[in-house]
Amino acid sequence: MGPHVIVAKLSHGGVALYESSTSRLLRWLLISSGTATAAHLDGDEVTVAFADGQQGIFDRDTGDLKRMGVAPEATKDR
């Protein structure tokens, strides 16, 4: 069996982390910082983009917010 790949998907006002080969739900993180538009997992951090141009970095295991700021893509047109 190969390495486990975890993917992050928006789900019911939060972020669901799935094991990609089985689609088994590993963890669900409640995101209450705004309207999420995208989620991406990178190591032990989940990056969530919000409709207002902000992005939050959350701990994959606890769901705790590590930091919040303006997404780099949102600053290009300013």
Side-chain angles (χ1 to χ4, degrees), residues 13 31 39 46 55 58 62 74:
I31 306 298
V46 179
Q55 79 174 12
F58 296 83
T62 66

Side-chain angles (χ1 to χ4, degrees), residues 1-26:
M1 187 167 176
H4 295 281
V5 176
I6 300 172
V7 294
K9 297 180 182 180
L10 297 179
S11 175
H12 299 90
V15 176
L17 301 178
Y18 290 95
E19 203 281 297
S20 65
S21 66
T22 63
S23 297
R24 184 174 69 99
L25 178 65
L26 301 173

